[in-house]
């Protein structure tokens, strides 16, 4: 992911409480959200900004994860 896109993504994450970046690669970023309401709002906002974002529930926890491409 480009530095400008990552900076814009971090600015967007400041609007959402208790979200954190878990993984950063050159193609995707994985973000951990505390619940489904925060994850849905984050996905909706990121898609509006032009990112490809997908949401999935964690296997062992109640956290939701958002993958951004």
């Amino acid at each position: 992911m480009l530095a400008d896109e990552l900076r814009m993504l971090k600015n967007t994450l400041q609007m959402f409480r208790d979200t954190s970046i878990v993984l950063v690669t050159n193609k995707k970023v994985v973000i951990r959200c505390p619940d489904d309401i925060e994850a849905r709002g984050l996905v909706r906002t990121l898609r509006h900004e032009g990112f490809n974002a997908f949401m999935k529930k964690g296997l062992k926890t109640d956290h939701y994860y958002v993958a951004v491409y």
Side-chain angles (χ1 to χ4, degrees):
M1 185 164 270
L2 298 175
D4 294 335
E5 291 175 339
L6 189 59
R7 190 176 314 118
M8 191 168 91
L9 183 66
K10 287 181 180 180
N11 287 338
T12 303
L13 286 179
Q14 291 177 357
M15 294 187 294
F16 295 90
R17 63 174 179 83
D18 297 332
T19 58
S20 61
I21 295 177
V22 177
L23 175 71
V24 177
T25 65
N26 60 350
K27 293 187 179 185
K28 75 175 179 178
V29 175
V30 177
I31 304 163
R32 182 174 51 106
C33 299
D35 56 9
D36 64 333
I37 296 170
E38 289 286 325
R40 281 190 227 153
L42 180 61
V43 167
R44 188 178 316 117
T45 302
L46 291 174
R47 286 182 179 167
H48 181 71
E49 291 180 356
F51 291 103
N52 288 330
F54 301 98
M55 178 181 82
K56 189 168 185 176
K57 186 177 183 311
L59 295 174
K60 296 183 181 181
T61 64
D62 291 335
H63 296 291
Y64 280 76
Y65 294 90
V66 176
V68 182
Y69 297 93

